[in-house]
Every structure is written in C-alpha cells, then in structure tokens.
Amino acid sequence: MTIGRVNPNFSLDHQEITGLGDVYYNLIEPDLIEQALARKEGRLGKGGAFLVSTGKFTGRSPKDKHVVKTDSVTDTIWWENNAAMSSEGFDALYQDMLAHMKGREYFVQDLIGGADPKHAINVRMVTELAWHGLFIRHMLRRPDREELDDFIADFTVINCPSFQADPAKHDCRSETVIAMNFDRKLILIGGTEYAGENKKSVFTLLNYLLPEKGIMPMHCSANHATGNPVDTAIFFGLSGTGKTTLSADPDRTLIGDDEHGWSDNGTFNFEGGCYAKTINLSREAEPEIYDTTTKFGTVIENMVYDEQTRELDFDDDSLTANMRCAYPLHYISNASAKATGGHPKNIIMLTCDAFGTLPPIARLTPAQAMYHFLSGFTSKVAGTERGVTEPEPTFSTCFGAPFMPRRPEVYGNLLREKIAEHGATCWLVNTGWTGGAYGTGSRMPIRATRALLTAALDGTLVAGKFRKDENFGFEVPVAVPGVADILLDPRRTWDDAAAYDRQVAKLVGMFSDNFEQYLPYIDDDVKAASIS
C-alpha cells in the first residue's frame, strides 16, 4: 500500500516526475497537520482546527485560468470564457515547474471526484504545501485504504505556489497560472496559495467530461428529505449566495454544498467535504457549520484570531471577506453517507440581488428556468474573487461561468431536458437586498428565506396564490405563513417607489442586453420567456 514517505527518485506514474525531495504519500489528517506545523505553514487552533493564511491571494484568480488549445478540444471549449494556452507554452511551463520542484518536498493525495462510481474519476493531487493536502483530502472523496494499492490516476494536478510563471515564455497572463491540458491529463497551478484553486480545477475538469455522457454537472448544493432520497432539492448559486447555508437544513439530509452531477440515476456529490464562508457565522443561525470550526482537522482560512486563546473572530474581515472553513462532509450530523439522492423534485436558483429589486422567491416555468440559468444573474460577493471589495451585480451563466469550459447552451439544454423528463419545479430565490439597493437596503432575512424554502419544498407554496410580476414575468406568492407580506412585494419595501421603478427598469435592461448573446442558440419558447 502506497502510504507514507517515498524516496526522492520516485516517479509519479505517467507524468514522469522525478528528482523530488521526500514525497509524502496519502498521509492521514494527523500526519498532514504535524507536517504543516513543522513547516510553519499555519497554527493549531481550538479543537485541533488548522489556522492558515493564504498570503497575497485570498480568492480565486479566474482570469489566470487557461485551457491548452489542442486539436481534440478546439471545437468544444468556450473560448470566449476560457483563455487559450498553446501546447508550446504549456510544455515550457511544465518543464520549468519540474525544474523548480527538484529536491523539494511534496505531498500526494490519491482521491476521487464523484460519489457515483460509474462516473467518478481518479485524481492525483501533488501539493507543495502540507495543508493543501489536508484541504483537498477534505474536499474530494477518499478511496478505501485497500483501494490505494491499485489506484491509477485519470488526471494529475500539481500545485506549486512558490513557482512563478513567465507570461512571455509560458503563454499566460501573469505570474499566477492555472493551466489545464486535457490531452496530457494534467493541471498545473502556480503562484497562488489559495486552496480553492485545487477543488475548482477538478470541478472544471468534470464540467468538461460529464456532458459527453449525458450528465449535467452543476454548481449547486443539494439535500433530500430525511429518509426519502426521492424528495431531492438542488440549490444553484455562486459563492456567497447561500448554497452552503441553505442546504444545511437540520430537517433534511445534506448531500453536498457545492458541486454535483445529475445522471440517469439521480443526483450525486462530486466532493467529500464542504467549503463554507465564515464571515458573520454564528452558532445561533448556523450551529452545525459553526461547530465545525473547532473540530479536528478543519482548515480555517484567512480568519483573524486571538493569538493567545485562538478564539476566532467571525466579524473581522480585515484579511478578507472571503474567510472560510473546509471540513469533511461527515462533520455535519445529517449528511448523507452515500452523498447521493434522487432526481431533483425542486430546483432552486439562488441570486444575490444587490439592486434590491427581486422578490425573495418566485416560481419559474421550464422556459423561464432555462432563461435564468443561462443568465445567471447575481452579485459577486466581496472577497470571493481577487479585487472584489463590495457586491458587484454580474451575469455568471449557469451560476458558475468561471468553471464552465463548454458553451453555456450545452449545460442549459441538458438542464432543460432533465427538468422535462423528471418534472422538477423551479424557483428563483433572492438572498440579496430588500428595502433598497446595497448601501441603502438590508440583506434578506435568513429566517424569511428559510421559511419560504420550507414552504416550497414541502408543497405548501405550490398550493397558495400567486401574482404575475409585471417586470420579470414570473409568479410570486401573495402570502406565505411566517413571512411578512410586504417582503414578497419588493416595491413596497422601498421608501421611494419611484426610485424602485428606476432601479428595476435598469435591471430589466441589463437582463435584456446580456441575453442577446444566447438568442441564436435557443428555442422560441425560451425567447418568449426573455425579460425585456
């Protein structure tokens, strides 16, 4: 069984990486933490959590992601959204990174992407930082120890933060680089310590591979009714819209918080852990997630803490608003051991509306669902990406454009087909602002959002009365038990109704302008559902 330290001449399978220093193979959590502490990569926190800072980069670097433009992928990659890299640039990058790695210690984790064995891929993660090994061990799925004897990697990811790329030589944008080569089954990451690049590189990989098998890859969280996997719900949304928070419902079983597939068998998690934002996290509002921050092995990323007591400060965002914790799925008591569910009965599209114009929930027709899925309107939340310091309204198609290597219509059509086949009910849920735009209004009360979701998932909402929204065309409930009626009508929450009208007209125009790019690729019923 390949576990522990391997000599410097060890070769990492088909990638022919030789001449490294000590290579630590498939270490478990205590060993990884010991290594990380010895290397002064972080500090031990309360309960055995591991406290780290990611240095210069506290969020993803989507503009530094590249796909190598080879003949096999040139006609299937969405190049307007994915920066191309030449084969020559990648080869030079690979050789220079290997030269940089010579004689250095590395940590290898052999892991799996996908809870459905029929559609899973084996991923070998090679990391320069021991704590990155701990992080990705949480995030991906772990083979049984006996399975490691015969483990063969389908893809290899090498993450070397101390390596700086040369844009002129390596055909990239900056010293930071994430380069995917589908032909060589290799992903190279350099120049950033932000651990999220590890998990999102695998997500991007699955987003390319699975549609060819008729599987819908989704940037979503998922749960199902306790004891009833047939009653599954999925929650689409960008980081910061509430995927992790809203899917961690104590009255439902958690399948996963971020990345899933929808196959002919139902829903399955890609991952084995959760990566939750911790800003303003409280035990009162989110007790299970809060409690993970003092559990053994949880990675606490970019949080301010007391140097003596190691008490975490959940309100101090001086390092970043994108402070997070990463933990294994089983740290949530009601998590599914199988990480699978049935075909989604309800589909929730989460948006964070910084304009303060959308209602807290609306029911969508299938055509409207595809429209909003392709539009992907939300707001980038502060800190999630480099340079984002306050909510920025944006259209991120499929609620995850940075991770979509294929054209949006590929995913949109897959979703539409599966909705038609399995009869899912679709909802648009606004977790953003009410009573005014960002800076004037306030965030949607989470208690109201939870009450609305409960009513949607248990069928109460469907049985109630709806009104048609004159601006967006979708249906909005008139009254919901436990939710103030005024909250369901955004215009009434504003002190200045005329200001609301101007703001909503602005957003309608943005929707219309953004969707023009998809008109050549969609059917007439989706065009008819367009907002204009």
Side-chain angles (χ1 to χ4, degrees), residues 240-259:
T241 55
K243 291 196 313 302
T244 299
T245 297
L246 296 173
S247 58
D249 184 335
D251 296 324
R252 293 175 66 86
T253 297
L254 178 66
I255 300 172
D257 83 322
D258 196 37
E259 303 169 6

Side-chain angles (χ1 to χ4, degrees), residues 234-382:
I234 59 175
F235 302 76
F236 285 105
L238 286 184
S239 298
T241 55
K243 291 196 313 302
T244 299
T245 297
L246 296 173
S247 58
D249 184 335
D251 296 324
R252 293 175 66 86
T253 297
L254 178 66
I255 300 172
D257 83 322
D258 196 37
E259 303 169 6
H260 293 79
W262 186 355
S263 72
D264 290 340
N265 297 324
T267 308
F268 64 98
N269 194 351
F270 290 166
E271 300 185 301
C274 300
Y275 192 32
K277 295 194 74 169
T278 55
I279 186 169
N280 301 323
L281 185 66
S282 70
R283 176 172 279 121
E284 292 72 27
E286 300 168 77
E288 292 244 65
I289 297 175
Y290 184 91
D291 286 346
T292 68
T293 62
T294 53
K295 290 190 176 183
F296 182 79
T298 293
V299 175
I300 305 294
E301 214 177 50
N302 297 317
M303 286 191 69
V304 174
Y305 58 88
D306 186 286
E307 291 288 334
Q308 293 183 330
T309 66
R310 312 291 168 88
E311 289 283 348
L312 301 172
D313 189 334
F314 294 90
D315 301 316
D316 189 338
D317 63 355
S318 57
L319 292 178
T320 177
N322 193 38
M323 51 197 193
R324 291 179 179 264
C325 62
Y327 50 89
L329 195 62
H330 67 261
Y331 277 8
I332 301 297
S333 62
N334 63 331
S336 166
K338 295 182 178 179
T340 59
H343 298 288
K345 182 179 178 181
N346 285 278
I347 295 174
I348 293 95
M349 297 183 183
L350 299 170
T351 180
C352 176
D353 175 22
F355 286 104
T357 58
L358 291 175
I361 195 167
R363 183 169 60 184
L364 306 176
T365 66
Q368 288 173 333
M370 184 171 178
Y371 177 86
H372 282 278
F373 182 70
L374 290 177
S375 297
F377 171 71
T378 190
S379 299
K380 293 180 181 178
V381 178

Side-chain angles (χ1 to χ4, degrees), residues 43 92 96 113 180 228 263 351 457 501:
R43 301 185 69 185
D96 288 348
M180 308 186 68
N228 183 16
S263 72
T351 180
L457 297 182
D501 292 338

